[in-house]
Amino acid sequence: MKRLITVLSLAITTVPVSMSVAEPGGTGRPAVADFDGDGVSDLSVVSPEGDWRSRPGGGTTSGFSWGNGYQPSPDDQLTPGDYDGDGRTDPGVFSPSQGKWLIAPTRNTVSSYSVAIGAPGDRALPGDYDGDGRTDLATYRPATAVWHILPSGSGDDYPVTFGVGGDLPAPGDYDGDGRTDLAVYRPGTATWLVRRSSDGMLASDQAGVRAGLPVPADYDGDGRTDAATFTPGRSEWTIHRSGDDTVTVHRFGVAGDLLAPADYDGDGATDLAVYRPSTGAWIVDGVSGETRFGGALDVPVAGTYLPR
């Protein structure tokens, strides 16, 4: 059905800081939480008031607020993505109670826009489902296992049924064709089911831990999403690497940490990382020490890319 788009105002500020810059590299695919478009994920957080802050590799801390067009709600879901295809992450929010998305494209510093798609109880799962380099709006309805996808540049969304009750949605580019695949994780059997966009075939994989949380990402840098789970009680990451078909287990983080995996060094592979709200510290696997950026109630932007 046709979707209503409403234009709203926004405000953006920048503050210079001193920091080191990582050299980008890897597969050339857009990094998550990359607000300056340099191919490296940025340390970035969102406050309970809906204010976004990022510390990119370019040497500045940037701040963003929605202005008068947005009032935060407890059920809001953060939905960052590259909605305009410029290689930079755009702030986004999905409000299930209103069935509305709010997007702030980085190409346009004058206005944001809202799109009506979704309903109470839906989970926001934005991704590039059509492979055009722009993030598409998408929702998953757990009660019916129905996905609603609104391709970029189209005024019509379409429904797809994939999964069953109890499945956890886990979309990603598992076949490496540049398009987001429909996928679910079945925690009772630790089974992943993927509908490959490259050929439409169904692929299955038994990887991870039963009752674990799905944390799919490209951890080995081969351009394909790896099936992975996180076990909170043990802070244990179990990753099935698509590059060499091996399963690795890592213990990383402590109780109370918020997951924030992303490509912080620009090598094309997702790094294990957590945000520690109690101290505002970021801890990235392979990096000595920690970096403080954010407050006790802030949410790391990188973590919002994970299935919810």
Side-chain angles (χ1 to χ4, degrees), residues 91-286:
V93 176
F94 170 60
S95 174
S97 60
Q98 302 180 53
K100 184 174 69 175
W101 296 61
L102 188 61
I103 307 297
T106 51
R107 278 185 178 172
N108 186 345
T109 59
V110 178
S111 62
S112 59
Y113 63 89
S114 66
V115 181
I117 176 175
D122 286 357
R123 299 179 185 179
L125 296 169
D128 188 5
Y129 293 88
D130 57 4
D132 68 349
R134 294 181 291 172
T135 299
D136 308 313
L137 279 59
T139 61
Y140 176 77
R141 195 158 297 167
T144 58
V146 173
W147 305 61
H148 285 267
I149 301 172
L150 179 62
S152 52
S154 171
D156 302 304
D157 69 278
Y158 62 91
V160 181
T161 300
F162 186 74
V164 298
D167 286 350
L168 301 178
D173 185 9
Y174 294 88
D175 54 8
D177 68 346
R179 291 178 289 175
T180 299
D181 307 313
L182 302 184
V184 295
Y185 174 66
R186 195 158 291 167
T189 58
T191 299
W192 297 72
L193 298 173
V194 179
R195 179 179 292 178
R196 297 189 304 230
S197 55
S198 56
D199 56 13
M201 300 298 291
L202 179 67
S204 64
D205 182 16
Q206 194 158 13
V209 177
R210 293 183 181 180
L213 302 176
V215 288
D218 183 9
Y219 294 97
D220 58 5
D222 69 345
R224 293 178 291 172
T225 298
D226 303 314
T229 60
F230 177 77
T231 308
R234 300 194 296 267
S235 295
E236 191 171 86
W237 306 65
T238 303
I239 303 170
H240 186 184
R241 299 162 55 97
S242 55
D244 57 11
D245 196 28
T246 61
V247 176
T248 59
V249 179
H250 312 263
R251 287 196 173 181
F252 187 81
V254 299
D257 287 348
L258 300 180
L259 306 186
D263 183 11
Y264 295 100
D265 55 9
D267 66 351
T270 297
D271 307 307
L272 302 185
V274 296
Y275 174 68
R276 193 158 293 163
S278 59
T279 60
W282 293 74
I283 301 95
V284 179
D285 190 28

